[in-house]
């Protein structure tokens, strides 16, 4: 299958591109710079520029584009950039599809667990209503933009949880501290994080390409865990203590809105659709994920 990926340079996109190529697919990536090979196509989502022919013949289009949520402090300008980078990219892709006589049959457009906001210990299925806050509003608008694809295009919006990787991602700054024995839980630690390992994210996307599902899909591990449990398991796998807790007020002082939107909310997400469709996780438990990260 020919698969076009927007946002292929990020953590998920880089890993997913490799996985799909190893599976025998032809992967074409959209880039904002001058293309350096036949596997790259230039586009400018901020100006809504993309040659529709770039998507012709594709069996699936995967949209991972968007400025990094936790890369910088959340000033008003940065929040606007988070919205614009996602909405412009998604609109550029759907507009190009509308100009094709035969658009790609499948459009997988990233969303996030932030859709649900801070929900405490409530179990969150795909039918749960959106929460409140900046990330919730962002995800609602992001998903709506994806559903502007032409009629007949199967639109899937994966609500991906906190992605665990051996380097980078959600653990990028925390892992080095844990390895040195000076890390610990964030806030009170009783908030649920809908965690998932990077290999399982790529496997889930590959699974969704071949499925017939339409609409939102919770992409997280089936074993729910709060931050205290996650950090304890990681520290144990690394044979290090994890006693240096970072209180919520300190997180808010350093990170501002970002702390309340990204680190301190509780989202007990249930991957009901993936589980019901027979998806198999490589790292279904916290223990297996921690062992993989520490290896």
């Amino acid at each position: 299958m020919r698969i076009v990926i927007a946002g292929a340079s990020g953590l998920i996109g880089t890993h997913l591109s490799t996985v799909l190529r190893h599976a025998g697919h032809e992967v074409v990536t959209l880039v904002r710079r001058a293309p350096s090979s036949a596997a790259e196509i230039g586009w400018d989502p901020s100006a809504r520029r993309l040659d529709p022919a770039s998507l012709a013949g594709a069996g699936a289009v995967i949209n991972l584009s968007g400025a990094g949520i936790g890369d910088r402090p959340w000033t008003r300008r940065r929040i606007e950039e988070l919205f614009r980078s996602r909405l412009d990219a998604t609109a550029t892709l759907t507009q190009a599809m509308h100009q094709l006589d035969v658009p790609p049959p499948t459009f997988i457009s990233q969303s996030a667990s932030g859709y649900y906001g801070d929900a405490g210990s409530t179990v969150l299925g795909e039918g749960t209503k959106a929460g409140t806050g900046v990330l919730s509003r962002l995800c609602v608008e992001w998903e709506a933009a994806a559903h502007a694809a032409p009629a007949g295009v199967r639109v899937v919006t994966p609500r991906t949880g906190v992605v665990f990787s051996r380097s980078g991602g959600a653990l990028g700054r925390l892992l080095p501290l844990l390895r040195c024995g000076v890390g610990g839980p964030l806030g009170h630690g009783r908030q649920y994080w809908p965690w998932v390992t990077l290999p399982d994210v790529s496997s889930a996307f590959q699974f969704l390409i071949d499925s017939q599902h339409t609409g939102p899909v919770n992409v997280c591990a089936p074993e729910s865990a709060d931050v205290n449990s996650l950090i304890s398991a990681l520290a144990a796998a690394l044979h290090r203590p994890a006693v240096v807790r970072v209180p919520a007020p300190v997180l808010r002082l350093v990170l501002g809105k970002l702390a309340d939107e990204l680190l301190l909310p509780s989202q007990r997400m249930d991957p009901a659709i993936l589980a019901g469709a027979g998806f198999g996780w490589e790292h279904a438990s916290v223990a297996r994920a921690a062992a993989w990260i520490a290896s």
Side-chain angles (χ1 to χ4, degrees):
M1 184 186 296
R2 183 173 188 265
I3 300 173
V4 178
I5 301 181
S9 62
L11 179 71
I12 295 176
T14 300
H15 190 270
L16 178 60
S17 298
T18 301
V19 167
L20 292 175
R21 287 190 175 107
H22 284 171
H25 297 292
E26 176 195 355
V27 177
V28 177
T29 60
L30 302 182
V31 297
R32 291 175 173 82
R33 51 174 171 75
S36 60
S37 72
E40 295 181 344
I41 294 174
W43 75 324
D44 185 355
S46 62
R48 304 286 180 95
R49 284 202 296 265
L50 173 64
D51 183 356
S54 304
L55 307 184
V61 175
I62 299 176
N63 177 27
L64 304 171
S65 289
I69 293 291
D71 293 357
R72 302 178 192 171
W74 276 20
T75 61
R76 181 178 298 178
R77 178 175 294 182
R78 182 58 175 176
I79 291 173
E80 290 176 357
E81 185 178 2
L82 296 179
F83 275 78
R84 288 270 58 86
S85 62
R86 285 162 175 77
L87 300 181
D88 286 347
T90 307
T92 302
L93 291 168
T94 59
Q95 288 170 7
M97 292 180 197
H98 275 283
Q99 296 179 57
L100 294 173
D101 292 333
V102 182
T106 297
F107 182 36
I108 299 179
S109 188
Q110 179 74 293
S111 184
S113 58
Y115 176 93
Y116 300 109
D118 188 359
S121 60
T122 302
V123 176
L124 306 170
E126 283 87 354
T128 304
K129 292 182 179 180
T132 58
V134 174
L135 282 182
S136 296
R137 182 164 56 89
L138 172 59
C139 290
V140 167
E141 294 187 24
W142 199 5
E143 292 183 17
H147 283 285
V153 174
R154 181 173 65 93
V155 178
V156 185
T157 52
R159 293 171 182 163
T160 305
V162 180
V163 180
F164 286 176
S165 168
R166 286 170 170 160
S167 60
L171 299 179
R173 297 178 184 177
L174 184 58
L175 264 182
L177 297 177
L178 288 173
R179 292 184 191 278
C180 294
V182 293
L186 306 175
H188 54 62
R190 296 186 298 277
Q191 69 271 34
Y192 285 90
W193 276 8
W195 65 276
V196 61
T197 64
L198 183 57
D200 280 336
V201 173
S202 293
S203 294
F205 272 76
Q206 192 172 10
F207 185 85
L208 292 170
I209 289 172
D210 297 327
S211 76
Q212 295 302 313
H213 176 75
T214 297
V217 178
N218 287 345
V219 177
C220 62
E223 181 177 292
S224 59
D226 63 19
V227 171
N228 284 333
S229 300
L230 289 169
I231 299 302
S232 294
L234 285 170
L238 292 166
H239 307 291
R240 295 289 189 275
V243 295
V244 186
R245 184 180 299 277
V246 184
V250 174
L251 289 171
R252 292 188 179 103
L253 179 64
V254 174
L255 299 173
K257 286 184 179 180
L258 188 57
D260 285 313
E261 290 275 353
L262 198 62
L263 300 177
L264 298 175
S266 181
Q267 297 155 349
R268 193 174 186 178
M269 213 161 68
D270 176 26
I273 287 176
L274 283 177
F279 177 73
W281 282 264
E282 182 178 353
H283 307 114
S285 68
V286 173
R288 292 194 65 175
W292 170 74
I293 292 169
S295 64

